[in-house]
Amino acid sequence: MTATEPRPRIEAGREPDVLTYIWNLPNFDKLPGQPEKILDAIDKFNTERNRLINIGPRKGPVIEKIIEEKKPSIMVELGCYVGYSAIRFGNAVRRAGGKKYYSLEINPINASVAKLLVELAGLQDIVTIIVAPSYEGLAKLVHESLIESVEILFVDHVKHRYVLDLWLVEQLGILQPGKSVIIADNISPSNSRGTDYMDWLHASTAEKEATLAQHAFTDDFGGVELAKLIKEKGVKKTGLDLSNVPGTGTYSYETKLHEFEGHSGRTDGVAITNVL
Ligand SMILES: C[S@@+](CC[C@H](N)C(=O)[O-])C[C@H]1O[C@@H](n2cnc3c(N)ncnc32)[C@H](O)[C@@H]1O
């Protein structure tokens, strides 16, 4: 077994300042239960005070349109941050008649800010924030039978985990061919961002097998039915290093890239992938 990936140091940055900003707004009394007004306030904080790294008002509508079309019952997000996307997309899932938006966040300070803002937006029944590294959070969702499958997966946490967590999701068997959609932020092959992720999505079965073989996985996952094992034993007791699970190599994907002009003038993109 390999040691589980070390947790990053937890630090409070500019994120809690959003709470000070919002709670001091002259129109604060008009905000409770108003997701759009809270998103506007976070957008204003972004332009007037300090830059945050949330999905923002340009990319947001592209993803909301997919939610409107797909009408997911359940959507899962990796990377909650201060809850901007959870408020925006949780509200869209609710409008589309869906039941749950699970948001996984490793940093308890960011998660605490997000929980307060989600509550202020009146979305606490639909948005559940799980404070854990993405791979543990995903396993918890499966173990506690909170999800059987994921209709929309929004990947927006940290680049080096995009491929690894997609591989874990494959092993967990929660993608539905012909139905599930994976949305990944900050993919821009022209800037060499997310090329390993795009390579995995576009690889042939033989190329995927070669990638899996090349990858430095040390656990033997051969024949392990991961979802079954996690359901029976729980998240911590599988004896497997969940931060290091290779995928199956058998899924096929079709991806469209939506590119945007980034804040720094560099192109940035959102990859929208249908599971075939
Ligand atoms: C770009 S921000 C997410 C932005 C958010 N989706 C939005 O648009 O409002 C990335 C977040 O992912 C979190 N994160 C980083 N690594 C993670 C991991 N392994 N599991 C869960 N969250 C992680 C960071 O702490 C940070 O809050």
Side-chain angles (χ1 to χ4, degrees):
M1 290 304 134
T2 55
T4 298
E5 194 172 278
R7 285 173 191 244
R9 212 180 118 70
I10 300 303
E11 289 182 84
R14 57 205 186 273
E15 290 72 22
D17 296 345
V18 182
L19 297 180
T20 318
Y21 177 80
I22 289 187
W23 258 257
N24 281 323
L25 283 172
N27 69 339
F28 178 75
D29 288 350
K30 305 255 159 34
L31 299 187
Q34 299 295 327
E36 282 91 0
K37 289 199 169 113
I38 294 165
L39 294 171
D40 286 346
I42 302 173
D43 287 335
K44 271 205 177 128
F45 176 89
N46 238 309
T47 47
E48 288 173 8
R49 297 288 169 94
N50 219 332
R51 272 249 307 125
L52 297 170
I53 50 168
N54 54 37
I55 194 79
R58 286 185 313 151
K59 293 174 179 171
V62 172
I63 299 172
E64 279 166 327
K65 192 157 173 272
I66 296 168
I67 297 170
E68 265 165 43
E69 283 164 11
K70 284 268 162 193
K71 304 196 184 328
S73 170
I74 289 181
M75 181 161 169
V76 175
E77 152 180 285
L78 311 184
C80 180
Y81 196 46
V82 299
Y84 183 95
S85 52
I87 292 172
R88 194 164 195 129
F89 304 146
N91 194 30
V93 167
R94 181 168 72 176
R95 270 200 310 265
K99 285 206 291 270
K100 262 291 165 204
Y101 190 96
Y102 290 107
S103 181
L104 279 38
E105 172 56 51
I106 199 168
N107 183 325
I109 297 165
N110 294 351
S112 306
V113 174
K115 279 185 185 189
L116 285 168
L117 291 174
V118 162
E119 214 170 280
L120 185 65
L123 287 164
Q124 66 277 16
D125 290 345
I126 198 142
V127 175
T128 296
I129 297 168
I130 296 176
V131 188
S134 43
Y135 45 90
E136 272 183 33
L138 284 164
K140 181 184 157 83
L141 290 174
V142 168
H143 171 56
E144 295 181 5
S145 299
L146 294 169
I147 58 168
E148 289 293 323
S149 60
V150 54
E151 289 149 280
I152 301 185
L153 175 67
F154 176 45
V155 185
D156 189 21
H157 53 341
V158 61
K159 294 303 146 299
H160 77 270
R161 286 230 50 99
Y162 275 35
V163 170
L164 296 174
D165 283 335
L166 176 57
W167 291 14
L168 172 63
V169 164
E170 290 178 349
Q171 272 280 357
L172 289 171
I174 53 178
L175 293 176
Q176 286 185 297
K179 198 163 179 201
S180 299
V181 178
I182 305 161
I183 302 171
D185 191 23
N186 302 127
I187 301 293
S188 176
S190 55
N191 288 318
S192 308
R193 294 180 88 192
T195 42
D196 57 341
Y197 180 78
M198 291 300 277
D199 284 351
W200 176 256
L201 295 174
H202 289 139
S204 65
T205 306
E207 285 166 335
K208 285 181 179 180
E209 276 165 12
T211 308
L212 287 170
Q214 262 172 28
H215 222 274
F217 292 114
T218 52
D219 291 312
D220 178 11
F221 286 87
V224 171
E225 280 188 59
L226 198 59
K228 201 167 156 221
L229 193 68
I230 286 173
K231 274 198 170 172
E232 283 166 6
K233 293 195 156 205
V235 178
K236 304 266 185 195
K237 294 187 196 137
T238 58
L240 297 174
D241 178 359
L242 296 177
S243 69
N244 199 19
V245 173
T248 64
T250 55
Y251 284 92
S252 300
Y253 302 109
E254 187 180 69
T255 300
K256 269 196 201 140
L257 199 61
H258 287 252
E259 295 205 281
F260 299 83
E261 182 79 16
H263 291 284
S264 57
R266 286 198 315 168
T267 310
D268 190 14
V270 175
I272 300 182
T273 299
N274 289 307
V275 182
L276 302 178

